[in-house]
Amino acid sequence: EKNSDKVEKFTRAIVKAMEFVNTHKAEEIAKILAPSFNGTSEASLTTAIQAYKDILPLVRRLTRQYIPCLDFA
């Protein structure tokens, strides 16, 4: 398949990012991301990140069910 190496690298990066989110506090992640969200407070970023973290169990369950090749811890 054309660009399959790029698709695989992209997919691995997404899984790695999700693992990072799973193993770090929302406040830590917000500090890292803040420079990329100019004009957004760290408090707002923290709230959004925490909301994302709160739905991760559902994301994991759906991933295992519908896209097993992307299974992550």
Side-chain angles (χ1 to χ4, degrees), residues 14-51:
I14 295 294
V15 171
K16 187 175 179 179
M18 292 177 85
E19 289 170 349
F20 185 88
V21 168
N22 190 41
T23 59
H24 292 78
K25 293 181 179 182
E27 295 83 3
E28 294 175 271
I29 299 165
K31 287 182 187 210
I32 293 168
L33 293 179
S36 297
F37 290 87
N38 192 20
T40 303
S41 71
E42 280 189 26
S44 292
L45 286 173
T46 299
T47 299
I49 293 163
Q50 189 58 54

